[in-house]
Amino acid sequence: MTNAMEIYQMLPKTNCKKCGKTSCMAFAVALMTRELTPDACLPLKEEPKYKDSYEKISSLFKPSEGATETGLIVHEDLCFGCGNCVVACPVNVANDPYGVGSGNAPKNTSKLILAIEEGIVKARNVDECRRFGKNKILCNGCIVTCPVEAIEFV
Amino acid sequence: MENNYHVCTGCSLLCDDIEVEYGTETINKIYTACRVGVAHMKESKEKVTFLVDNKPVDEEKALSETVKILKNAKNPLIFGLGASTNEAQKQAIELGKKINATIDDSSSFCFGSVVEALVTNKIKTCTLEDVRNKGDVIIFWGSNPADSHPRHLSKHSYFPRGSEKQRGWEEERTAIAIDIRKSHTAKICGNYFIQIPQGGDVELIDALISGLSGKLPKTSYNYPPKKILELANILKGAKFGIIFVGPGLIYSLENLAPLFRLMQALNEKSNFHLVPMVGNCNMRGFNENLFTETGYVNSVKFENGIVKHGSEYSIVESLKAKTVDAALIIGSDPFSSLPRSIAKSLLEIPIISMGPSETLTTKKAKVHINTAISGVESGGSAIRMDGTLVSFKPIVETKNPLEEYILKRIMEAL
Ligand code: SF4
Ligand code: SF4
Ligand code: SF4
Ligand code: SF4
C-alpha cells in the first residue's frame, strides 16, 4: 500500500500551490483521498524532469481495473470468500447488524460495502467506506481480518 | 428471501444461509457461500455413469455385478459415507447388517474417538450458535479453519456479533492458534499464535495444566514459561471458552487422555467446551448413526446379528490383516487418503465404488456407480461438526441416482 509520504517523495516538493493546495504534502493527501488527480499538479504533468514521477503516480491513481473509485481493490485470485472482511467491516455491521454483522447472509443490502458473490468478495457502495470522504479514519477492518491479503487500498 | 436459503454441503459447517439465483437452465449465481462451497454446488454434471471394468453399462448390469460381488464375499468392507446423507448412512448400516460386513469410515484414523467422547458426554461441548453468542476465548488447536472451513471464523467463531457479544471481536473475543506452522488462521490470531514443534502438543497440554494451577510450566522444547503462564491466565479468565480441535492435535495424541486432563483442568478454573473440526459434511453423522445402531462410532463388524468392535475392524487394520474380501466404498477415495502400502491391499479384492465424482478409487473399482451429490443434487439431512442436525433440499435436479436408492436396490436384490 502506498502512503502519503511515499507520494510526497515523488512530487516536485516546491510548494508552488498551482494545484490549489497549500503544499505538496497537502496535495499528496488529496491524492490519497481521491479529492484530486495527479493531473492537477501542473509542474508534475508538464515538466519533462518529472516525467517518470508523473507516470508512476498516474499509474498508482489510475482508476485501475477492478479498483473502485475509493481505491479499494479485491485481488480476486486470492480471495476465497471466507467473509471475514464482510463481517468485520464496521460499516457493514452498522448497516446490517443481524445479517452480515451476525455472520449470516445479508438481510439489508442497501448500504453494504462488502458481500460475497460466487465465492469472492465484491465491493460496492464504497462511498460508505470509512477510509474516504470528509470524516475519514484509518479503518483497516477488512485488511487485517483477511487471511490472504486479498484486499488492498491503492 | 429468507425461506429460500439453501444449505451448503461443501464442508461440515453446513452453512444454512446460501442464496441461489437460478438462470433458465442452471444456477446463475450463488451468494454468501465461500469459494469451496460455490465449487461444490456447481460440481453437478449431466452425465449418468455406471461402469463395470471401467466400461459404461446400464444400471441393471452395474447392480447385478455389485450383488454378485457382495454375495460372494464372506467379509465385505463398507467404507466411507462421510459425504452421504444420514438417510443413506442408515441404509448402508442396514446393508452392512444384512451382509455381515465390516463397516468403518476415515474417523477411525482421525476424529472417531473424539466424537465418541462427545456423544457419551465425556467431554463438554456446545453448538456453534453458542460460540457465536457467548464465546470469548476461542482456541484453534491443530486446526486451520481459514483453509479447511472458510466461513468458520466469520460465521461462528470469531468475527460475528452474538447475543452476548455485541461489541465485536476486537473487544470481546480472543482467538488463539496453536499449531506447528503459521497457518492462515494463525495469521488472523496475530500475537496469540503458539508455535510448537511437531508432536509437542501433549507437553504443551501438561505445561498449560501446570500453568493453570500456578506452577512453572516446562516443555522439553523450552517454550517460554512466561508465555504459557500468560496463555493459562487468559484461559482461566474465560467465561465461555471453546477448543476447536483439528487433525494436527489428534494425530499427535496416542490416546485422548491428555485432552481429558486438559478439559478437566480448564473446567475446574473456568468454562471450556470442545468441538471437533470434522472435515466432510457428514462424517459426524456417520459416527452418530452407527453409534445409535451399535454403540460404537466406527470400526464395527456385523456377524449374524452380533456387533463386534475393535481396531482390528478399522479399514487400516482389516486391510493390513487382509481379513476383508470385497469393498463397497461410498463417497470416499481411500487410494488417495490411505498410505499406499495399505491401499495396495485393496487392489487384491473386488471394489464397488459409489460416489458423485470419479477418483483414483473409481478407476480401480470393478463397479462404479455415479450417485447424486448430497445436498446439491439430493435432499436429506446431515450432522454438523458440533452435532447439530441440518436438513436440506436439493439445489439442482439430477438424473444421477441417490445413494439411498442404490443401497435400497442392492438390499432388495440380495
Ligand atoms: S502543484 Fe505540484 S508542485 Fe505545486 S504545490 Fe501542488 S503538488 Fe506541489
Ligand atoms: S476500510 Fe473499514 S469501512 Fe472501509 S471497507 Fe474496509 S472495513 Fe469497511
Ligand atoms: S477476508 Fe479476504 S479472503 Fe476473506 S472474503 Fe474478504 S477478501 Fe476474501
Ligand atoms: S464454509 Fe463450508 S459449508 Fe460454508 S459455504 Fe464454505 S464450504 Fe460451504
Side-chain angles (χ1 to χ4, degrees):
Chain A
M1 213 201 332
T2 337
N3 62 36
M5 202 58 204
E6 285 169 51
I7 305 292
Y8 170 75
Q9 297 298 346
M10 288 186 271
L11 292 173
K13 292 186 248 180
T14 56
N15 299 335
C16 74
K17 303 194 175 75
K18 284 186 189 143
C19 56
K21 288 286 161 189
T22 51
S23 67
C24 294
M25 192 62 209
F27 179 71
V29 173
L31 280 180
M32 291 295 291
T33 60
R34 314 267 147 172
E35 186 191 325
L36 292 173
T37 63
D39 287 3
C41 171
L42 294 176
L44 180 72
K45 188 179 167 197
E46 282 157 10
E47 289 178 33
K49 61 180 170 189
Y50 301 127
K51 189 167 167 275
D52 282 356
S53 297
Y54 174 64
E55 280 169 7
K56 181 99 198 286
I57 295 177
S58 299
S59 75
L60 281 174
F61 291 97
K62 178 173 75 200
S64 56
E65 230 175 310
T68 58
E69 56 265 45
T70 50
L72 189 160
I73 286 190
V74 175
H75 296 288
E76 298 202 344
D77 50 328
L78 294 177
C79 172
F80 59 103
C82 68
N84 290 358
C85 58
V86 176
V87 182
C89 167
V91 176
N92 271 11
V93 175
N95 290 322
D96 188 16
Y98 297 104
V100 296
S102 301
N104 294 316
K107 285 198 192 340
N108 173 9
T109 51
S110 63
K111 284 184 173 173
L112 287 186
I113 302 177
L114 302 165
I116 308 289
E117 252 179 67
E118 292 288 278
I120 294 169
V121 75
K122 290 274 162 0
R124 50 201 173 181
N125 301 321
V126 282
D127 47 325
E128 298 281 335
C129 173
R130 295 199 174 169
R131 288 177 79 93
F132 298 96
K134 275 209 193 71
N135 303 314
K136 64 176 185 301
I137 56 166
L138 206 65
C139 177
N140 59 4
C142 55
I143 302 170
V144 298
T145 55
C146 179
V148 292
E149 284 154 40
I151 290 190
E152 197 185 359
F153 285 92
V154 293
Chain B
M1 209 56 189
E2 224 154 304
N3 302 326
N4 283 325
Y5 285 146
H6 288 274
V7 170
C8 173
T9 47
C11 75
S12 71
L13 272 192
L14 295 168
C15 293
D16 56 359
D17 57 352
I18 312 302
E19 288 168 69
V20 177
E21 189 181 280
Y22 292 93
T24 39
E25 300 249 305
T26 50
I27 294 176
N28 185 20
K29 261 192 185 162
I30 297 173
Y31 296 92
T32 312
C34 71
R35 196 190 275 255
V36 178
V38 169
H40 172 71
M41 284 179 260
K42 290 195 166 174
E43 219 167 18
S44 177
K45 46 185 176 303
E46 276 294 292
K47 212 174 91 204
V48 178
T49 323
F50 297 94
L51 301 174
V52 170
D53 295 321
N54 279 313
K55 287 186 199 73
V57 294
D58 63 5
E59 182 176 332
E60 297 314 313
K61 172 77 181 151
L63 276 171
S64 65
E65 207 48 51
T66 300
V67 169
K68 200 161 90 191
I69 294 170
L70 293 178
K71 267 192 181 153
N72 284 334
K74 286 201 183 60
N75 182 18
L77 169 72
I78 300 179
F79 177 78
L81 293 153
S84 304
T85 59
N86 287 327
E87 295 71 22
Q89 290 173 346
K90 287 176 190 163
Q91 193 70 47
I93 296 169
E94 282 311 306
L95 177 66
K97 277 190 204 162
K98 182 157 183 164
I99 59 177
N100 285 333
T102 295
I103 183 163
D104 192 31
D105 78 330
S106 50
S107 76
S108 60
F109 47 88
C110 200
F111 287 115
S113 51
V114 176
V115 173
E116 186 176 351
L118 296 176
V119 295
T120 52
N121 292 321
K122 290 200 186 93
I123 294 184
K124 187 150 88 171
T125 187
C126 64
T127 67
L128 293 173
E129 282 71 25
D130 293 333
V131 180
R132 178 199 297 184
N133 288 330
K134 301 185 244 179
D136 58 357
V137 177
I138 302 113
I139 305 178
F140 301 103
W141 198 321
S143 61
N144 176 21
D147 290 324
S148 59
H149 303 74
R151 293 184 67 204
H152 198 282
L153 281 83
S154 72
K155 190 168 165 57
H156 301 286
S157 55
Y158 190 32
F159 295 114
R161 310 279 160 135
S163 58
E164 293 171 37
K165 288 279 164 280
Q166 287 293 320
R167 278 179 293 132
W169 55 282
E170 304 101 315
E171 288 179 47
E172 290 186 300
R173 298 195 211 262
T174 309
I176 299 160
I178 302 173
D179 212 331
I180 55 169
R181 62 185 180 94
K182 188 163 187 182
S183 65
H184 284 139
T185 307
K187 187 168 170 266
I188 300 286
C189 296
N191 287 335
Y192 296 110
F193 167 46
I194 317 286
Q195 188 163 17
I196 53 172
Q198 183 137 27
D201 302 75
V202 175
E203 280 193 58
L204 184 67
I205 287 177
D206 287 322
L208 268 175
I209 295 174
S210 303
L212 284 169
S213 52
K215 284 187 224 123
L216 190 72
K218 279 194 226 106
T219 53
S220 66
Y221 43 88
N222 291 322
Y223 200 89
K226 208 175 134 233
K227 286 208 158 172
I228 299 181
L229 282 172
E230 260 172 46
L231 181 63
N233 271 333
I234 297 173
L235 305 193
K236 243 194 243 179
K239 292 208 174 59
F240 197 100
I242 308 97
I243 304 181
F244 287 104
V245 292
L249 173 56
I250 300 302
Y251 288 145
S252 80
L253 300 179
E254 265 168 43
N255 56 54
L256 291 189
L259 210 50
F260 286 127
R261 283 205 291 281
L262 177 66
M263 289 305 287
Q264 194 186 343
L266 284 171
N267 278 308
E268 278 162 17
K269 309 277 177 192
S270 59
N271 177 24
F272 259 88
H273 309 79
L274 186 143
V275 173
M277 252 350 178
V278 176
N280 279 348
C281 70
N282 202 21
M283 270 165 113
R284 174 138 186 189
F286 174 81
N287 293 145
E288 296 206 6
N289 288 319
L290 191 65
F291 183 83
T292 308
E293 202 58 49
T294 67
Y296 306 104
V297 296
N298 55 28
S299 309
V300 157
K301 158 80 181 154
F302 292 109
E303 207 162 270
N304 306 320
I306 300 168
V307 175
K308 295 180 172 176
H309 166 77
S311 60
E312 66 271 35
Y313 305 116
S314 71
I315 181 167
V316 171
E317 295 305 325
S318 53
L319 284 178
K320 255 196 215 161
K322 300 191 196 293
T323 49
V324 286
D325 53 359
L328 170 59
I329 293 166
I330 306 174
S332 179
D333 186 17
F335 279 99
S336 44
S337 60
L338 288 182
R340 202 195 297 202
S341 59
I342 290 160
K344 229 174 53 199
S345 320
L346 268 177
L347 293 173
E348 296 163 22
I349 58 177
I351 301 170
I352 304 147
S353 96
M354 265 167 67
S357 53
E358 282 170 45
T359 61
L360 216 50
T361 303
T362 33
K363 291 206 183 70
K364 312 257 188 217
K366 174 84 184 159
V367 184
H368 171 64
I369 300 175
N370 214 83
T371 48
I373 310 170
S374 311
V376 178
E377 299 171 320
S378 85
S381 64
I383 296 181
R384 208 165 64 174
M385 58 164 65
D386 61 345
T388 302
L389 181 74
V390 180
S391 299
F392 40 80
K393 47 191 191 282
I395 295 172
V396 294
E397 284 177 15
T398 182
K399 295 194 190 79
N400 282 305
L402 305 191
E403 286 174 357
E404 224 179 312
Y405 161 82
I406 296 288
L407 289 165
K408 223 175 254 163
R409 289 215 53 194
I410 297 174
M411 281 280 262
E412 284 160 9
L414 283 162

